[in-house]
């Protein structure tokens, strides 16, 4: 009970809770529990940020459970030795085309599924949706062989193969992510009013115009949510880049982490600075577009 | 082109009340010009070819290769079919196989018995529209935006033997990532950390869709809160439950990034996904053998994918 009284004084009163329900001991317990869990959940990330801001010499001498040694040097060192600039660029080369292509191709399929009743619609939807759920490793063997067989002209890939090229990674990411977007977008498009197409047909609009000028603008909220989600997913993609890339300089930033591990091995302060650098783009997207991100994740799960 | 007659302009042009016969449909089909039909075909065909070529054909090829002794180097016409030999080799003479199966099941159990119910519990608490709910939610699903590979690195700061926080605080001397007796538990904690937020989010979305009058009725009938949840709300959440079940199974089957960044899935961290990868990109490229492992993954996941599809398709039709 005494802890509850303290919690009431520190947490309950400053917020003037007139409009809200009264703070019963049960509600205090609830808040106490949620605060503890939330802080525990934030802790690993906070600890990484904290560690990244301290000098290795200081923490080596005083241990990590100490205070002081604040510095930004880890970031400078990590950025320089790990060539983060190049790896971030690689991520951009892969993520941006992959997301745009995924949304474009998926919206085409979704449009046809939603606009026409086609006997094979349900099969089509299943083919795309299930593809997104297959374990990637189960397809690795044939894909790996395929990638090492398909030649590309030298101006597209200096390996002259689909293997170890940005093109290969873009294609494999698009093929995998299409399913989720087809599923979400077709549900979304089915909810659009039918009269729109009726009016468009009367005006003599072609199918392409019905897709591009009628449907797509109306799907903007879903497209925004999906784009946010897909950017983080493709940026975070680790497996394909690890197995279908060979040249260290061409790795996107998420999978380059593993190569960098060796260089940072003995210096956790550098590891944490590197981790924070890699996390920053997704964290920025998350905090700016939080609404879209969350909506995207739940779009697939519920119809609302 | 041959499947085009199956396409018909649906409800866009409402049929005259009496003509729902095929004759009426034919007429509507003719409303589509030749270009329109070409456009529709392309809109479906291009993505379909991509998904077939990069996902479905490889999946079929994996199953076929699992019956061969191909080493991955020789020409395709030298392939010999060896029946189920790869499978019996996997089970009988491949030491990492049994631990990998155990670890995959352990992973599934941990996510299913601990992380998933905890995520659901948090969703139920946060659904009460309490003050500060936004902060709690943000804190809990923040790990979801991080990649699993990155999570492996972040947790290394807690787990490392010499520089990790856990050993520093408790004065222990355990190499959490390196010791093959404990590392599977260590990575599962990190994986559960992320999973809880994701599950919480899915349930929060589901709970928002539950008809409030259901709960009011339960309250009027004098049902306690937990009773009302398990007897009234939980059954209504059936579609979400199935999605969560499938997500959990597939996540634990696909688990890869974390163990790969820790030690490439060796020394206590064997998982089927890591074994497949080792057999292909590792020193020894044993294609037939790796394919047998991959086929096992494929079959298990297809069972759950089918359950998932049946559920969501039924939902959509309603």
């Amino acid at each position: 009970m005494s802890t509850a009284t303290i919690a009431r004084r520190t947490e309950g009163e400053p917020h003037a809770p007139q409009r809200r329900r009264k703070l019963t001991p049960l509600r205090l317990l609830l808040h106490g529990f949620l605060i503890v869990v939330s802080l525990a959940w934030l802790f690993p990330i906070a600890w990484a940020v904290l560690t990244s801001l301290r000098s290795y010499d200081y923490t080596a001498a005083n241990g990590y459970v100490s205070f002081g040694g604040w510095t930004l040097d880890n970031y400078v060192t990590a950025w320089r030795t790990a060539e983060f600039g190049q790896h971030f660029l690689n991520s951009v080369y892969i993520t941006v085309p992959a997301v745009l292509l995924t949304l474009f191709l998926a919206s085409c399929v979704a449009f046809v599924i939603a606009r026409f009743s086609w006997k094979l619609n349900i099969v089509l939807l299943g083919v795309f949706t299930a593809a997104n759920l297959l374990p990637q490793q189960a397809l690795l063997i044939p894909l790996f062989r395929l990638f090492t067989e398909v030649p590309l002209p030298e101006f597209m890939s200096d390996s002259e193969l689909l293997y170890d090229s940005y093109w290969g990674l873009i294609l494999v990411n698009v093929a995998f992510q299409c399913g989720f977007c087809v599923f979400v977008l077709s549900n979304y498009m089915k909810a659009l009013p039918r009269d729109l197409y009726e009016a468009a047909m009367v005006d003599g609009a072609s199918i392409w115009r019905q897709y591009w000028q009628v449907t797509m603008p109306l799907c903007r909220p879903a497209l925004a949510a999906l784009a946010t989600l897909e950017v983080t997913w493709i940026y975070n993609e680790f497996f394909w880049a690890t197995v279908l890339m060979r040249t260290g300089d061409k790795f996107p930033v998420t999978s380059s982490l593993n190569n960098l591990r060796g260089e940072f091995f003995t210096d956790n302060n550098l590891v944490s600075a590197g981790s924070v650098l890699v996390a920053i783009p997704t964290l920025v997207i998350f905090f700016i577009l939080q609404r879209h991100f969350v909506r995207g994740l739940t779009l697939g799960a519920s119809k609302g | 082109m041959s499947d085009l007659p199956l396409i018909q302009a649906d409800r866009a042009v409402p049929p005259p009340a009496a003509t729902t016969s095929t004759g009426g449909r034919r007429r509507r089909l003719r409303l589509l010009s030749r270009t329109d039909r070409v456009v529709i075909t392309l809109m479906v065909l291009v993505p379909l070819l991509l998904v077939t070529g990069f996902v479905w054909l490889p999946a079929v090829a994996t199953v076929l290769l699992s019956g061969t002794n191909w080493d991955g180097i020789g020409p395709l016409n030298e392939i010999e079919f060896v029946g189920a030999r790869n499978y019996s080799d996997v089970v009988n003479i491949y030491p990492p196989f049994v631990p990998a199966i155990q670890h995959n099941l352990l992973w599934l159990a941990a996510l299913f018995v601990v992380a998933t119910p905890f995520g659901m519990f948090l969703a139920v608490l946060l659904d009460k529209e309490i003050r500060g709910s936004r902060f709690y939610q943000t804190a809990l699903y923040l790990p979801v935006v991080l990649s699993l590979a990155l999570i492996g690195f972040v947790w290394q700061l807690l787990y490392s033997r010499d520089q990790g926080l856990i050993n520093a605080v408790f004065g222990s001397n355990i190499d959490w990532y390196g010791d093959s007796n404990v590392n599977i538990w260590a990575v599962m904690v990190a994986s559960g950390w992320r999973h809880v937020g994701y599950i919480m989010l899915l349930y929060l979305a589901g709970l928002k869709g539950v008809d409030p009058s259901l709960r009011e009725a339960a309250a009027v009938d004098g049902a306690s809160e937990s009773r009302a949840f398990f007897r009234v709300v939980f059954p209504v959440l059936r579609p979400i439950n199935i999605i969560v079940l499938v997500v959990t199974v597939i996540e634990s089957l696909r688990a890869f990034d974390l163990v790969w960044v820790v030690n490439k899935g060796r020394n206590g961290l064997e998982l089927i996904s890591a074994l497949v990868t080792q057999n292909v990109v590792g020193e020894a490229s044993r294609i037939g053998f790796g394919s047998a492992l991959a086929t096992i993954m494929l079959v298990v996941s297809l069972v759950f994918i089918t359950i998932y599809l049946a559920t969501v398709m039924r939902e959509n039709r309603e």
Side-chain angles (χ1 to χ4, degrees), chain A residues 174-187:
Chain A
V174 171
F176 258 90
Q177 296 300 337
C178 250
F180 181 75
C181 296
V182 167
F183 179 69
V184 170
L185 284 172
S186 68
N187 279 347

Side-chain angles (χ1 to χ4, degrees), chain B residues 142-153:
Chain B
L142 200 54
V144 181
V145 304
L146 305 179
S147 71
L148 274 164
L150 190 63
I151 284 172
F153 280 79

Side-chain angles (χ1 to χ4, degrees), chain B residues 27-308:
Chain B
R27 210 171 309 137
R28 267 179 285 137
L29 177 64
R30 254 177 259 128
L31 287 173
L32 293 173
S33 72
R34 200 183 164 72
T35 350
D36 280 350
R37 277 183 274 168
V38 172
V39 167
I40 291 171
T41 313
L42 284 177
M43 283 171 98
V44 174
L45 213 57
V46 175
L48 191 62
L49 284 177
L50 195 70
V51 172
T52 313
F54 284 99
V55 180
W56 289 109
L57 286 183
V60 173
T62 296
V63 178
L64 294 179
L65 285 173
S66 75
T68 72
N69 67 348
W70 197 38
D71 59 2
I73 299 157
L76 288 166
N77 55 17
E78 278 176 23
I79 289 184
E80 253 177 69
F81 279 88
V82 294
R85 202 179 74 202
N86 287 319
Y87 291 92
S88 73
D89 285 357
V90 161
V91 176
N92 296 319
I93 59 164
Y94 189 50
F97 179 69
V98 175
I101 293 278
Q102 285 169 342
H103 292 155
N104 269 99
L105 288 174
L106 199 62
W107 203 289
L108 175 66
L111 290 189
F112 197 68
V113 180
V114 183
T116 303
F118 190 56
M120 182 165 73
F121 178 60
L122 289 168
V124 172
L125 294 185
L126 289 169
D127 190 45
K128 293 177 187 291
E129 308 214 334
I130 48 176
R131 204 177 326 141
S133 171
R134 223 179 119 84
F135 165 76
Y136 300 138
Q137 282 180 39
T138 308
L140 289 166
Y141 57 62
L142 200 54
V144 181
V145 304
L146 305 179
S147 71
L148 274 164
L150 190 63
I151 284 172
F153 280 79
V154 168
W155 280 76
Q156 188 187 343
L157 306 174
L158 307 177
Y159 284 146
S160 143
R161 189 176 63 197
D162 303 322
Q163 301 175 50
L165 183 66
I166 295 177
N167 284 349
V169 169
F170 295 103
S172 50
N173 189 29
I174 301 170
D175 187 358
W176 294 96
Y177 271 171
D179 184 338
S180 59
N181 293 315
V182 295
N183 54 10
I184 190 75
W185 300 100
V187 290
M188 282 192 311
V189 167
S191 155
W193 177 61
R194 184 175 191 267
H195 193 70
V196 166
Y198 187 28
I199 297 300
M200 181 207 70
L201 204 62
L202 291 178
Y203 272 114
L204 260 182
L207 285 167
K208 286 208 180 91
V210 173
D211 186 356
S213 64
L214 269 177
R215 280 184 234 210
E216 280 160 28
V220 169
D221 287 348
S224 71
E225 232 175 296
S226 63
R227 210 180 141 82
F229 177 76
F230 283 109
R231 293 292 172 82
V232 179
V233 177
F234 193 74
V236 179
L237 291 177
R238 193 172 169 271
I240 295 281
N241 289 330
I242 291 181
I243 287 167
V244 166
L245 167 80
V246 174
V247 164
T248 306
V249 172
I250 293 201
E251 288 271 301
S252 48
L253 195 67
R254 291 211 282 209
F256 173 82
D257 305 15
L258 257 172
V259 301
W260 199 258
V261 297
V262 173
N263 63 10
K264 305 214 166 180
R266 294 191 167 91
N267 189 33
L269 293 184
E270 291 80 7
L271 289 176
I272 303 288
S273 58
L275 299 187
V276 175
T277 313
Q278 285 163 14
N279 274 296
V280 183
V281 293
E283 311 78 58
S285 119
R286 287 175 291 185
I287 300 295
F289 191 74
S291 299
L293 286 164
T295 306
I296 296 171
M297 284 184 91
L298 207 56
V299 169
V300 177
S301 62
L302 276 174
V303 170
F304 287 89
I305 290 170
T306 313
I307 298 174
Y308 173 84

Side-chain angles (χ1 to χ4, degrees), chain A residues 84-99 166 169-170 173 231 234-237 241 245 249-256 278 281:
Chain A
F84 270 110
Q86 180 59 44
H87 291 297
F88 276 123
L89 266 184
N90 296 342
S91 285
V92 172
Y93 294 152
I94 293 160
T95 309
V96 172
V99 171
Y166 298 129
L169 280 189
I170 292 169
N173 275 312
V231 167
I234 295 177
Y235 175 87
N236 281 342
E237 203 283 316
M245 279 283 191
D249 291 348
K250 287 199 274 189
F251 276 109
V253 74
T254 302
S255 50
S256 75
V278 175

Side-chain angles (χ1 to χ4, degrees), chain A residues 15-297:
Chain A
H15 295 288
Q18 293 101 331
R19 287 182 301 123
R20 299 283 181 148
R21 270 168 282 179
K22 244 176 53 191
L23 277 172
T24 62
L26 199 67
R27 280 195 98 67
L28 274 178
L29 189 72
L30 175 68
H31 275 285
F33 175 74
L34 285 172
I35 286 171
V36 169
V37 173
S38 303
L39 292 181
W41 244 247
L42 286 177
F43 183 77
I45 300 170
W47 183 253
V49 175
L50 213 62
T51 308
S52 71
L53 293 170
R54 306 178 67 189
S55 83
Y56 180 70
D57 294 336
Y58 187 90
T59 49
N62 299 291
Y64 281 88
V65 194
S66 59
F67 192 84
W70 306 106
T71 174
L72 286 173
D73 287 350
N74 293 319
Y75 286 94
V76 178
T77 316
W79 184 276
R80 213 180 285 141
T81 56
E83 289 167 349
F84 270 110
Q86 180 59 44
H87 291 297
F88 276 123
L89 266 184
N90 296 342
S91 285
V92 172
Y93 294 152
I94 293 160
T95 309
V96 172
V99 171
L100 292 177
L101 207 57
T102 304
L103 289 180
F104 172 65
L105 293 177
S107 63
C108 284
V109 177
F111 171 77
V112 176
I113 290 178
R115 170 79 175 76
F116 301 99
S117 19
W118 190 11
K119 279 176 194 155
L120 288 175
N121 263 351
I122 203 113
V123 178
L124 204 56
L125 193 56
V127 163
F128 278 94
T129 313
N132 179 241
L133 295 171
L134 287 180
Q136 289 94 323
Q137 293 84 13
L139 316 172
L140 168 63
I141 290 162
L143 267 185
F144 187 80
R145 286 293 299 178
L146 180 75
F147 271 50
T148 51
E149 295 287 329
V150 174
L152 284 183
E154 203 186 338
F155 72 91
M156 287 170 78
S157 152
D158 48 28
S159 66
E160 295 185 44
L161 290 170
L162 208 48
Y163 178 70
D164 200 26
S165 76
Y166 298 129
W167 301 87
L169 280 189
I170 292 169
L171 285 175
V172 81
N173 275 312
V174 171
F176 258 90
Q177 296 300 337
C178 250
F180 181 75
C181 296
V182 167
F183 179 69
V184 170
L185 284 172
S186 68
N187 279 347
Y188 197 88
M189 288 175 183
K190 271 176 202 156
L192 297 177
R194 289 269 155 189
D195 320 5
L196 280 172
Y197 298 120
E198 211 178 302
M201 294 273 278
V202 170
D203 290 349
S206 67
I207 288 294
W208 182 255
R209 281 186 66 137
Q210 291 176 35
Y211 159 75
W212 190 248
Q213 291 187 330
V214 178
T215 311
M216 287 301 265
L218 291 170
C219 288
R220 223 174 273 163
L223 289 169
L226 284 175
T228 312
L229 202 59
E230 291 295 341
V231 167
T232 54
W233 279 351
I234 295 177
Y235 175 87
N236 281 342
E237 203 283 316
F238 175 78
F239 175 69
W240 290 124
T242 304
V243 294
L244 297 178
M245 279 283 191
R246 184 182 47 209
T247 314
D249 291 348
K250 287 199 274 189
F251 276 109
V253 74
T254 302
S255 50
S256 75
L257 262 177
N258 212 26
N259 282 23
L260 310 175
R261 196 177 139 98
E263 298 169 38
F264 293 173
F265 204 76
T266 50
D267 188 341
N268 262 4
N269 305 54
L270 272 184
V271 169
S272 54
S275 302
V276 172
L277 284 172
V278 175
I280 282 175
T282 52
L283 291 179
V284 167
I285 286 176
F286 177 66
F287 280 113
I288 295 177
L289 303 171
Q290 200 184 81
R291 220 161 36 96
H292 291 300
F293 179 83
V294 172
R295 205 193 298 145
L297 268 180

